[in-house]
Amino acid sequence: MNIDLRDHWFLGGVEIPSRLVLAPMAGVSVQAFRRQGRRYGAGLVCSEMVSVAGIQHRNERTLGYLRVGADEHPLAIQIFGSEPAAMAEAARMVEAAGADVVDMNFGCPVRKVTKTGAGASLLDDPDHACRLVEAVTTATSLPVSVKMRRGVENGSRRCLEVGPRLVEAGASSLTLHPRSAKQMYTGTADHSLTAELVSLVDVPVIASGDVTSRARAQAVLATTGAAAVMVGRAAQGNPWALREMMGDDGEPTREEVVAELVLFMRETVRELGEQRANGFLKKFYGWYLGRGRFPKPLKQELVTLSSADDVERRLFEVAPGARFVLERLLSELPDPADEILLDSLPISIYGGG
Ligand SMILES: Cc1cc2nc3c(=O)[nH]c(=O)nc-3n(C[C@H](O)[C@H](O)[C@H](O)COP(=O)(O)O)c2cc1C
């Protein structure tokens, strides 16, 4: 069966224009990453997980995660927490911030999160998980989706028991990353569970895990019946993976790589501030320039430079033609002033840390 990734589908009442979803990734899914994902074919993009405790305390950095760009839609903002009232308040803030979907994190395997009763630990407490979904769906008119793992323990099939209950509690969509929390990112995602989940619920299911190519995306869609595939690590510093999945030319020229990296850097500096962005960006140099695109010493040199301006200058030295590609990219982007800000909240454009 040949599946068209350009097909649209609906998450609740929200039209999603393709069957590719860009994964929420903490420390990666900044606005620049999401906007880029939309340009390269993702039909839906997600924020990284946002702490409802941080929202409750009006932590400025946390509130910065609620900033929505005009060219990101449709966008899901993901929240994590374990307290129904706090989750409900966070959902209202997500709606006010201009997101299209509220996503709930029931998959994070990290101890710092699970020990508070949030993330993947909720799969071991389905009654409470359902209370959280009920609280959030009552608080917002946006569709609510839940992202989960297969269960906490290796080999667990808990998602098949919990998933249908979450739908009964009001979830409009489920995303399954069929690894256990214990597995973290080892082994492989077992999408036979995704197929089972699809057969048990009447809402769209998004398949997450190990989708790295067009062939793999089509195989996962065909064998699971999922509405969409989610792409995470394959898209880190590599929007061209999304382009390949959509059926267009995959490998970029060196000029395209440098132009996208420079655009990403500029937007990230604007979003996070220069100091925070400098540290944040270092991992992206290897992701963009690796894969045999540039010699290794270039990345090693870039991480030693102290400012984004210096990195930009060096990149234009190695690929001068990238300036023209960047000019074209910039001319196609909407005005950054089109960001939606929560005007009642202390979010400065350059703020957040
Ligand atoms: C660096 C990193 C951060 C992640 N952060 C989140 C997160 O904030 N919320 C979430 O639901 N999943 C998170 N994930 C899981 C991904 O969304 C995705 O389910 C997982 O990486 C499997 O997909 P992949 O094989 O395409 O990477 C994260 C994954 C990575 C690698």
Side-chain angles (χ1 to χ4, degrees), residues 120 123-124 149-154 156-159 176-177 179-182:
L123 298 171
D124 275 346
R149 292 235 173 187
R150 63 183 293 164
V152 173
E153 301 298 329
N154 289 343
S156 171
R157 295 168 56 82
R158 188 51 79 90
C159 60
L176 180 62
H177 175 202
R179 281 186 172 88
S180 71
K182 283 254 161 73

Side-chain angles (χ1 to χ4, degrees), residues 93-108:
M93 298 270 289
V94 165
E95 181 167 359
D100 303 286
V101 174
V102 181
D103 189 57
M104 301 176 71
N105 181 315
F106 290 3
C108 181

Side-chain angles (χ1 to χ4, degrees), residues 21-29 46-50 78 80 103-109 147-149 175-179 184-185 189 191 207-212 230-236 245 283 287:
V21 178
L22 193 63
M25 287 187 283
V28 177
S29 299
C46 300
S47 77
E48 67 176 79
M49 53 191 246
V50 184
Q78 187 185 70
F80 74 97
D103 189 57
M104 301 176 71
N105 181 315
F106 290 3
C108 181
K147 182 163 180 286
M148 58 185 174
R149 292 235 173 187
T175 301
L176 180 62
H177 175 202
R179 281 186 172 88
M184 304 291 281
Y185 295 94
H191 283 297
S208 170
D210 305 341
V211 176
T212 51
M230 180 176 269
V231 183
R233 289 165 293 175
Q236 291 172 334
M245 285 179 210
K283 57 186 180 284
W287 287 339

Side-chain angles (χ1 to χ4, degrees), residues 61-276:
R61 187 180 282 201
T62 309
L63 295 178
Y65 294 130
L66 302 185
R67 196 180 300 138
V68 173
D71 52 350
E72 293 190 68
H73 298 285
L75 162 80
I77 290 186
Q78 187 185 70
I79 53 175
F80 74 97
S82 59
E83 248 287 302
M87 291 289 266
E89 187 198 350
R92 282 189 287 268
M93 298 270 289
V94 165
E95 181 167 359
D100 303 286
V101 174
V102 181
D103 189 57
M104 301 176 71
N105 181 315
F106 290 3
C108 181
V110 176
R111 172 110 187 97
K112 202 171 112 187
V113 170
T114 55
K115 76 174 186 209
T116 66
S121 68
L122 285 161
L123 298 171
D124 275 346
D125 191 352
D127 290 339
H128 191 61
C130 289
R131 273 196 293 279
L132 293 179
V133 171
E134 274 160 21
V136 167
T137 51
T138 307
T140 176
S141 60
L142 298 181
V144 173
S145 56
V146 177
K147 182 163 180 286
M148 58 185 174
R149 292 235 173 187
R150 63 183 293 164
V152 173
E153 301 298 329
N154 289 343
S156 171
R157 295 168 56 82
R158 188 51 79 90
C159 60
L160 302 179
E161 179 195 319
V162 179
R165 292 193 54 192
L166 301 176
V167 172
E168 251 171 63
S172 295
S173 168
L174 300 173
T175 301
L176 180 62
H177 175 202
R179 281 186 172 88
S180 71
K182 283 254 161 73
Q183 264 184 294
M184 304 291 281
Y185 295 94
T186 62
T188 51
D190 178 1
H191 283 297
S192 67
L193 263 101
T194 314
E196 286 190 68
L197 182 65
V198 169
S199 71
L200 294 173
V201 295
D202 58 3
V203 297
V205 171
I206 302 170
S208 170
D210 305 341
V211 176
T212 51
S213 65
R214 179 169 172 81
R216 187 78 194 124
Q218 287 187 321
V220 170
L221 287 172
T223 56
T224 63
V229 283
M230 180 176 269
V231 183
R233 289 165 293 175
Q236 291 172 334
N238 193 22
W240 302 281
L242 302 174
R243 186 164 79 180
E244 188 269 338
M245 285 179 210
M246 293 302 282
D248 295 325
D249 267 356
E251 264 311 294
T253 63
R254 283 177 148 208
E255 285 70 26
E256 273 184 280
V257 172
V258 166
E260 282 293 348
L261 173 54
V262 168
L263 177 61
F264 186 79
M265 289 166 52
R266 288 184 185 177
E267 291 194 359
T268 305
V269 166
R270 200 171 62 83
E271 184 178 352
L272 303 181
E274 169 97 35
Q275 201 190 3
R276 208 172 133 208

